[in-house]
């Protein structure tokens, strides 16, 4: 009787959301998956899943078993990983998610060195500006730029994220330079997917409403628009550091910016045990970025 196999199958079904999805992930038929779940329920004498044609839900007993099964399986994986660490080579597929612009500019160019260090690894690199479901979508690690104080995932801070108000010299010559926070509503403000900014400054927090002639869901469109001289934008230094250094953009109201609680994080689902492939990748990003990231070099940041 394969008790560990039945527990693993049960955990896979819960994580995948259905028996058919779990079967595809495990390379097994739905009938085999169903037989293993039924065998587990019969052995325990309780119903673990409520089944419909479209989805499954956990019973109270199922919830309790799932939490314990995940811990047990993680301990087994850790024991196997401990043995495997005798080999210097990390193997397997590492599925990573990152924000589109940040991933393209600051992660993708460094994947070659990472893969050269770990030739046994394959990186499945996904770029999206949506907050992916790390567990549900099967990601090993996600890079996020956010305030993760209340995150249910494990989060490691990789770097600060300074967001400044900036504009091109041509725009400031045409429209004037804002001297006070109250001047901002009289300027063309550029943003994506929001109608307001929450800014922090020496006199506290401010909410600035945005009413601009350009509406877009693309952060990169806003970047190009502010460089072209269309208005004022709130941008991260990792995004416009070179333009600040060469004068293509200038800081506006330098005492004001977005919340400092927002930072660059690596997030992953395991609370107690970390796979070696995830560990080496997160360590690599932390080594590259750090508390004073290269993109902030030479910038005057308050």
């Amino acid at each position: 009787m394969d008790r560990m196999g039945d527990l693993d199958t049960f955990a896979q079904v819960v994580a995948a959301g259905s028996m058919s999805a779990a079967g595809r992930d495990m390379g097994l038929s739905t009938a085999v998956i169903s037989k293993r779940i039924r065998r587990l329920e019969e052995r325990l004498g309780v119903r673990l899943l409520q089944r419909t044609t479209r989805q499954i839900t956990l019973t109270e007993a199922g919830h309790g078993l799932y939490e314990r099964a995940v811990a047990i399986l993680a301990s087994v994986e850790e024991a196997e990983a401990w043995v495997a660490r005798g080999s210097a080579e990390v193997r397997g597929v590492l599925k990573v998610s990152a924000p589109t612009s940040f991933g393209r500019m600051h992660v993708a160019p460094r994947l070659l060195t990472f893969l050269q260090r770990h030739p046994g690894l394959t990186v499945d690199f996904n770029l999206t500006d949506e907050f992916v479901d790390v567990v549900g979508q099967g990601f090993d690690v996600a890079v996020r730029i956010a305030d993760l104080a209340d995150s249910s995932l494990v989060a490691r801070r990789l770097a600060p994220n300074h967001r400044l108000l900036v504009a091109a010299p041509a725009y400031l010559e045409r429209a004037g330079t804002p001297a006070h926070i109250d001047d901002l509503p009289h300027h063309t403000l550029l943003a994506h997917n929001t109608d307001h900014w929450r800014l922090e400054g020496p006199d506290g927090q401010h909410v600035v409403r945005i009413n601009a002639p350009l509406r877009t869901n693309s952060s990169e469109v806003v970047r190009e628009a502010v460089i072209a001289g269309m208005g004022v934008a709130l941008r991260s230094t990792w995004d416009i550091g070179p333009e600040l250094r060469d004068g293509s953009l200038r800081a506006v109201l330098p005492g004001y910016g977005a919340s400092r609680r927002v930072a660059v994080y690596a997030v992953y689902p395991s609370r107690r045990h970390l796979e070696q492939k995830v560990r080496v990748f997160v360590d690599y990003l932390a080594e590259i970025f750090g508390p004073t990231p290269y993109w902030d070099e030479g910038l005057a940041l308050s």
Side-chain angles (χ1 to χ4, degrees), residues 22-42:
R24 287 193 297 271
D25 292 341
M26 300 177 71
L28 300 172
S29 68
T30 303
V32 171
I33 298 294
S34 179
K35 179 180 178 181
R36 290 185 178 182
I37 297 298
R38 186 167 59 252
R39 182 171 62 195
L40 180 61
E41 290 179 326
E42 289 174 354

mmCIF file of all heavy atoms in Angstrom, residues 22-42:
data_model
loop_
_atom_site.group_PDB
_atom_site.id
_atom_site.type_symbol
_atom_site.label_atom_id
_atom_site.label_comp_id
_atom_site.label_asym_id
_atom_site.label_seq_id
_atom_site.Cartn_x
_atom_site.Cartn_y
_atom_site.Cartn_z
ATOM 1 N N ALA A 22 -4.652 17.409 -12.147
ATOM 2 C CA ALA A 22 -3.592 16.716 -11.426
ATOM 3 C C ALA A 22 -3.067 15.540 -12.241
ATOM 4 O O ALA A 22 -1.858 15.278 -12.278
ATOM 5 C CB ALA A 22 -4.107 16.238 -10.070
ATOM 6 N N GLY A 23 -3.985 14.846 -12.925
ATOM 7 C CA GLY A 23 -3.560 13.735 -13.757
ATOM 8 C C GLY A 23 -2.637 14.175 -14.882
ATOM 9 O O GLY A 23 -1.636 13.507 -15.174
ATOM 10 N N ARG A 24 -2.948 15.318 -15.490
ATOM 11 C CA ARG A 24 -2.075 15.834 -16.549
ATOM 12 C C ARG A 24 -0.701 16.188 -15.996
ATOM 13 O O ARG A 24 0.326 15.904 -16.622
ATOM 14 C CB ARG A 24 -2.717 17.061 -17.205
ATOM 15 C CG ARG A 24 -3.904 16.733 -18.103
ATOM 16 C CD ARG A 24 -4.284 17.923 -18.948
ATOM 17 N NE ARG A 24 -4.727 19.052 -18.142
ATOM 18 C CZ ARG A 24 -5.975 19.264 -17.767
ATOM 19 N NH1 ARG A 24 -6.929 18.386 -18.125
ATOM 20 N NH2 ARG A 24 -6.309 20.319 -17.060
ATOM 21 N N ASP A 25 -0.689 16.814 -14.811
ATOM 22 C CA ASP A 25 0.590 17.195 -14.202
ATOM 23 C C ASP A 25 1.431 15.976 -13.845
ATOM 24 O O ASP A 25 2.669 16.006 -13.943
ATOM 25 C CB ASP A 25 0.354 18.035 -12.942
ATOM 26 C CG ASP A 25 -0.242 19.405 -13.254
ATOM 27 O OD1 ASP A 25 -0.148 19.843 -14.420
ATOM 28 O OD2 ASP A 25 -0.795 20.027 -12.330
ATOM 29 N N MET A 26 0.766 14.896 -13.408
ATOM 30 C CA MET A 26 1.484 13.720 -12.926
ATOM 31 C C MET A 26 1.674 12.658 -14.010
ATOM 32 O O MET A 26 2.336 11.653 -13.773
ATOM 33 C CB MET A 26 0.733 13.116 -11.732
ATOM 34 C CG MET A 26 0.581 14.054 -10.543
ATOM 35 S SD MET A 26 -0.393 13.334 -9.189
ATOM 36 C CE MET A 26 0.760 12.093 -8.569
ATOM 37 N N GLY A 27 1.057 12.875 -15.177
ATOM 38 C CA GLY A 27 1.164 11.883 -16.237
ATOM 39 C C GLY A 27 0.340 10.643 -15.975
ATOM 40 O O GLY A 27 0.703 9.545 -16.418
ATOM 41 N N LEU A 28 -0.790 10.795 -15.260
ATOM 42 C CA LEU A 28 -1.658 9.674 -14.921
ATOM 43 C C LEU A 28 -3.071 9.950 -15.414
ATOM 44 O O LEU A 28 -3.464 11.099 -15.626
ATOM 45 C CB LEU A 28 -1.682 9.453 -13.402
ATOM 46 C CG LEU A 28 -0.344 9.133 -12.728
ATOM 47 C CD1 LEU A 28 -0.514 9.145 -11.212
ATOM 48 C CD2 LEU A 28 0.199 7.785 -13.198
ATOM 49 N N SER A 29 -3.836 8.887 -15.579
ATOM 50 C CA SER A 29 -5.224 9.052 -16.002
ATOM 51 C C SER A 29 -6.072 9.532 -14.835
ATOM 52 O O SER A 29 -5.730 9.336 -13.656
ATOM 53 C CB SER A 29 -5.783 7.724 -16.527
ATOM 54 O OG SER A 29 -5.913 6.792 -15.460
ATOM 55 N N THR A 30 -7.207 10.161 -15.152
ATOM 56 C CA THR A 30 -8.132 10.610 -14.112
ATOM 57 C C THR A 30 -8.639 9.427 -13.296
ATOM 58 O O THR A 30 -8.854 9.540 -12.084
ATOM 59 C CB THR A 30 -9.320 11.364 -14.744
ATOM 60 O OG1 THR A 30 -8.817 12.459 -15.513
ATOM 61 C CG2 THR A 30 -10.267 11.899 -13.674
ATOM 62 N N ALA A 31 -8.807 8.280 -13.948
ATOM 63 C CA ALA A 31 -9.284 7.091 -13.232
ATOM 64 C C ALA A 31 -8.289 6.652 -12.162
ATOM 65 O O ALA A 31 -8.685 6.276 -11.051
ATOM 66 C CB ALA A 31 -9.526 5.953 -14.236
ATOM 67 N N VAL A 32 -6.997 6.690 -12.477
ATOM 68 C CA VAL A 32 -5.976 6.315 -11.487
ATOM 69 C C VAL A 32 -5.972 7.305 -10.327
ATOM 70 O O VAL A 32 -5.893 6.915 -9.151
ATOM 71 C CB VAL A 32 -4.585 6.242 -12.143
ATOM 72 C CG1 VAL A 32 -3.492 6.084 -11.095
ATOM 73 C CG2 VAL A 32 -4.529 5.095 -13.143
ATOM 74 N N ILE A 33 -6.064 8.602 -10.651
ATOM 75 C CA ILE A 33 -6.110 9.626 -9.603
ATOM 76 C C ILE A 33 -7.307 9.397 -8.698
ATOM 77 O O ILE A 33 -7.200 9.419 -7.458
ATOM 78 C CB ILE A 33 -6.171 11.035 -10.222
ATOM 79 C CG1 ILE A 33 -4.920 11.332 -11.056
ATOM 80 C CG2 ILE A 33 -6.346 12.099 -9.137
ATOM 81 C CD1 ILE A 33 -3.653 11.426 -10.282
ATOM 82 N N SER A 34 -8.475 9.183 -9.288
ATOM 83 C CA SER A 34 -9.696 8.958 -8.517
ATOM 84 C C SER A 34 -9.570 7.719 -7.628
ATOM 85 O O SER A 34 -10.001 7.727 -6.466
ATOM 86 C CB SER A 34 -10.881 8.801 -9.471
ATOM 87 O OG SER A 34 -12.064 8.556 -8.755
ATOM 88 N N LYS A 35 -8.957 6.656 -8.150
ATOM 89 C CA LYS A 35 -8.787 5.427 -7.361
ATOM 90 C C LYS A 35 -7.906 5.676 -6.146
ATOM 91 O O LYS A 35 -8.194 5.187 -5.048
ATOM 92 C CB LYS A 35 -8.177 4.343 -8.252
ATOM 93 C CG LYS A 35 -7.935 3.020 -7.536
ATOM 94 C CD LYS A 35 -7.334 1.989 -8.478
ATOM 95 C CE LYS A 35 -7.045 0.679 -7.751
ATOM 96 N NZ LYS A 35 -6.435 -0.325 -8.673
ATOM 97 N N ARG A 36 -6.832 6.454 -6.322
ATOM 98 C CA ARG A 36 -5.936 6.738 -5.196
ATOM 99 C C ARG A 36 -6.639 7.582 -4.127
ATOM 100 O O ARG A 36 -6.453 7.340 -2.926
ATOM 101 C CB ARG A 36 -4.689 7.460 -5.703
ATOM 102 C CG ARG A 36 -3.760 6.584 -6.522
ATOM 103 C CD ARG A 36 -2.488 7.316 -6.893
ATOM 104 N NE ARG A 36 -1.567 6.471 -7.634
ATOM 105 C CZ ARG A 36 -0.366 6.864 -8.040
ATOM 106 N NH1 ARG A 36 0.052 8.106 -7.787
ATOM 107 N NH2 ARG A 36 0.413 6.037 -8.701
ATOM 108 N N ILE A 37 -7.425 8.556 -4.552
ATOM 109 C CA ILE A 37 -8.142 9.391 -3.572
ATOM 110 C C ILE A 37 -9.169 8.552 -2.820
ATOM 111 O O ILE A 37 -9.307 8.662 -1.589
ATOM 112 C CB ILE A 37 -8.826 10.584 -4.277
ATOM 113 C CG1 ILE A 37 -7.781 11.497 -4.924
ATOM 114 C CG2 ILE A 37 -9.679 11.368 -3.288
ATOM 115 C CD1 ILE A 37 -6.808 12.122 -3.954
ATOM 116 N N ARG A 38 -9.879 7.709 -3.559
ATOM 117 C CA ARG A 38 -10.886 6.849 -2.913
ATOM 118 C C ARG A 38 -10.220 5.894 -1.934
ATOM 119 O O ARG A 38 -10.726 5.662 -0.831
ATOM 120 C CB ARG A 38 -11.648 6.083 -3.993
ATOM 121 C CG ARG A 38 -12.817 5.254 -3.436
ATOM 122 C CD ARG A 38 -13.735 4.764 -4.539
ATOM 123 N NE ARG A 38 -13.025 3.942 -5.505
ATOM 124 C CZ ARG A 38 -12.724 4.317 -6.741
ATOM 125 N NH1 ARG A 38 -13.056 5.530 -7.173
ATOM 126 N NH2 ARG A 38 -12.100 3.488 -7.565
ATOM 127 N N ARG A 39 -9.068 5.340 -2.299
ATOM 128 C CA ARG A 39 -8.340 4.432 -1.405
ATOM 129 C C ARG A 39 -7.903 5.158 -0.131
ATOM 130 O O ARG A 39 -7.991 4.617 0.981
ATOM 131 C CB ARG A 39 -7.131 3.867 -2.145
ATOM 132 C CG ARG A 39 -6.314 2.864 -1.345
ATOM 133 C CD ARG A 39 -5.272 2.212 -2.232
ATOM 134 N NE ARG A 39 -4.312 3.184 -2.760
ATOM 135 C CZ ARG A 39 -3.487 2.914 -3.770
ATOM 136 N NH1 ARG A 39 -3.506 1.729 -4.360
ATOM 137 N NH2 ARG A 39 -2.626 3.828 -4.186
ATOM 138 N N LEU A 40 -7.446 6.417 -0.284
ATOM 139 C CA LEU A 40 -7.033 7.203 0.881
ATOM 140 C C LEU A 40 -8.222 7.483 1.791
ATOM 141 O O LEU A 40 -8.123 7.358 3.027
ATOM 142 C CB LEU A 40 -6.392 8.508 0.411
ATOM 143 C CG LEU A 40 -5.890 9.469 1.488
ATOM 144 C CD1 LEU A 40 -4.793 8.818 2.337
ATOM 145 C CD2 LEU A 40 -5.351 10.757 0.846
ATOM 146 N N GLU A 41 -9.356 7.865 1.207
ATOM 147 C CA GLU A 41 -10.557 8.140 2.015
ATOM 148 C C GLU A 41 -11.039 6.880 2.736
ATOM 149 O O GLU A 41 -11.443 6.940 3.907
ATOM 150 C CB GLU A 41 -11.661 8.701 1.111
ATOM 151 C CG GLU A 41 -11.387 10.106 0.610
ATOM 152 C CD GLU A 41 -12.475 10.636 -0.293
ATOM 153 O OE1 GLU A 41 -13.071 9.824 -1.046
ATOM 154 O OE2 GLU A 41 -12.736 11.852 -0.275
ATOM 155 N N GLU A 42 -10.994 5.741 2.053
ATOM 156 C CA GLU A 42 -11.442 4.492 2.685
ATOM 157 C C GLU A 42 -10.518 4.098 3.831
ATOM 158 O O GLU A 42 -10.976 3.623 4.877
ATOM 159 C CB GLU A 42 -11.493 3.380 1.629
ATOM 160 C CG GLU A 42 -12.628 3.564 0.629
ATOM 161 C CD GLU A 42 -12.568 2.543 -0.500
ATOM 162 O OE1 GLU A 42 -11.575 1.774 -0.556
ATOM 163 O OE2 GLU A 42 -13.507 2.517 -1.319
#
